[in-house]
Amino acid sequence: MPRLIGAPRKALFDAAVERWEICPAESVDIPAGIWLPDQIDYIARTEFGDLPDIIDQMRGNPAEWTPPTMGYRLRDVDFVDGVLYARGAEMHLRERRHAGLTYARPARAITGALYESWIGNRWFGNWLLNDCLAYRLAEAAGRPVTSAAPRGGHIAGYVARLGLAPEHIGDVHFDELILFDDLHNNSHRQARAQENRARLVPATPSRPLPGVFIFRGRSGDARILENEAEIAERLEAEQGFHIIHLDRDDVDDIARAVGATDLVMGVEGSQLAHGVIGMAPGGTVMTLQPADRVTTSLKLLTDCWRQGYAMLVGDGTAQGFRVEWDQIQRTLDLIAARNAENPS
């Protein structure tokens, strides 16, 4: 099927033959983030948004107008090499493996509800905290499908614990396809977040933990906290924190720990999604960030799980930065003060 050279790409949702509102637009209370008064001065560069976006997210909004969650039904959609094509519109779900402006229509035809996303295929945290929420919509709509191949490790553990049973597809033609616009933290999405949490956290809670530190090390994209081991050891010895090492702890170990605390800390990154999904509402995720890669993307997710979000910007770059203990302690004091003002 050819695509005209130079023709503008249409939004795939515009090709829908039917659309419906799953949750209406509504006003949502977005809590302010927690950071030391001088933190803006430490920021050298931002990621996934400009500095005004970061400041706006950290301010919060007690009555933020939140768009609806929508469902869309499309017909005669081709899925080829990670791209959906319908009536001159496209949606990319992953990097294409092959170049070219034409493709052969897939021979196999199915119907299904697709719940995956570009960012979920790129980052583990977005898969766990975004795509796995959309799965709940897909299973309600009928037949959940995904182009993501089955994987092991923590992903396999979450698939089992969350009860995900999609059909894994390659290139196919959809006689009928259902998609969702589900990135807005309205009450419906928040309720699904708690449903997924309930599937993970043991019914009998573990002994309460003062905090959990999720060790990142050199995994994933570079965000190297040079004194990470020292911070983890001190938190464990002086504050009673439980330390999670993702190369040793499985999903059950992680769920037991984060389900028993109201404070999760670590270098900003997808590994903190383990803490978000299992910690109860009212808890706080505290991120440690390099000055040249400051982001509040995780706050959009803690907002959905009704948790607090704290940020501490260190000295240095993503290739190597440090966070001083005094700054950690002062930020922990701010979190404790917020908790005292707003007890769960």
Side-chain angles (χ1 to χ4, degrees):
M1 298 283 292
R3 178 169 67 81
L4 294 176
I5 298 175
R9 294 176 180 172
K10 302 176 184 176
L12 198 71
F13 291 154
D14 293 339
V17 297
E18 181 187 356
R19 62 192 66 206
W20 63 96
E21 201 172 69
I22 297 169
C23 178
E26 59 186 357
S27 178
V28 177
D29 180 8
I30 303 298
I34 300 170
W35 57 353
L36 297 169
D38 61 353
Q39 286 295 281
I40 294 175
D41 298 335
Y42 283 77
I43 298 174
R45 191 175 69 83
T46 61
E47 190 87 355
F48 309 123
D50 296 328
L51 182 58
D53 300 318
I54 302 293
I55 295 171
D56 188 55
Q57 277 287 311
M58 292 299 284
R59 282 199 186 110
N61 186 340
E64 181 168 292
W65 192 245
T66 304
T69 296
M70 299 292 297
Y72 298 87
R73 190 185 312 277
L74 300 93
R75 296 199 177 103
D76 293 325
V77 181
D78 292 326
F79 180 67
V80 178
D81 197 15
V83 185
L84 293 164
Y85 300 93
R87 297 167 57 188
E90 299 180 12
M91 177 183 287
H92 291 242
L93 296 178
R94 58 181 73 250
E95 289 282 353
R96 296 174 59 193
R97 293 172 305 212
H98 309 291
L101 296 175
T102 63
Y103 66 87
R105 176 171 173 168
R108 184 180 175 221
I110 65 171
T111 63
L114 195 64
Y115 63 94
E116 67 182 287
S117 65
W118 175 279
I119 58 173
N121 286 331
R122 170 65 178 83
W123 287 288
F124 163 77
N126 292 102
W127 172 81
L128 182 61
L129 301 181
N130 284 328
D131 292 0
C132 290
L133 286 189
Y135 180 89
R136 306 269 77 102
L137 299 177
E139 68 179 353
R143 180 186 189 182
V145 298
T146 179
S147 69
R151 294 168 64 185
H154 292 110
I155 287 180
Y158 282 111
V159 165
R161 290 290 295 273
L162 293 174
L164 310 185
E167 177 184 353
H168 294 268
I169 60 171
D171 291 356
V172 296
H173 174 80
F174 286 98
D175 289 332
E176 185 172 277
L177 171 66
I178 296 175
L179 297 173
F180 308 98
D181 181 2
D182 183 42
L183 290 177
H184 311 297
N185 290 328
N186 51 46
S187 57
H188 194 280
R189 182 171 157 87
Q190 290 182 10
R192 281 179 280 126
Q194 293 310 307
E195 178 186 349
N196 276 4
R197 177 180 183 271
R199 290 171 181 258
L200 285 172
V201 177
T204 303
S206 305
R207 177 177 60 85
L209 295 171
V212 168
F213 186 89
I214 301 180
F215 203 91
R216 181 178 177 88
R218 293 176 179 263
S219 64
D221 296 341
R223 256 154 284 169
I224 301 170
L225 179 57
E226 294 173 345
N227 58 335
E228 185 176 21
E230 174 190 332
I231 289 169
E233 290 169 6
R234 194 162 179 180
L235 286 169
E236 184 176 33
E238 299 181 18
Q239 309 266 358
F241 271 52
H242 177 83
I243 311 302
I244 288 176
H245 294 272
L246 298 178
D247 58 345
R248 308 173 201 169
D249 296 317
D250 62 20
V251 169
D252 289 341
D253 296 330
I254 296 167
R256 277 192 295 270
V258 299
T261 191
D262 60 4
L263 177 60
V264 171
M265 186 191 306
V267 175
E268 192 282 330
S270 275
Q271 88 283 354
L272 289 181
H274 295 285
V276 175
I277 195 171
M279 187 169 57
T284 301
V285 173
M286 178 174 166
T287 64
L288 310 178
Q289 306 200 32
D292 68 339
R293 195 191 181 284
V294 174
T295 175
T296 48
S297 57
L298 195 63
K299 186 179 186 299
L300 297 172
L301 300 166
T302 59
D303 289 344
C304 181
W305 264 259
R306 304 200 300 271
Q307 297 158 349
Y309 178 86
M311 176 197 298
L312 182 52
V313 182
D315 183 26
T317 71
Q319 300 301 319
F321 73 106
R322 296 181 63 84
V323 174
E324 300 306 321
W325 181 257
D326 175 65
Q327 291 180 307
I328 291 175
Q329 187 59 64
R330 287 192 292 136
T331 306
L332 290 175
D333 290 343
L334 287 179
I335 295 170
R338 170 77 67 85
N339 291 342
E341 291 175 4
N342 303 286
S344 300

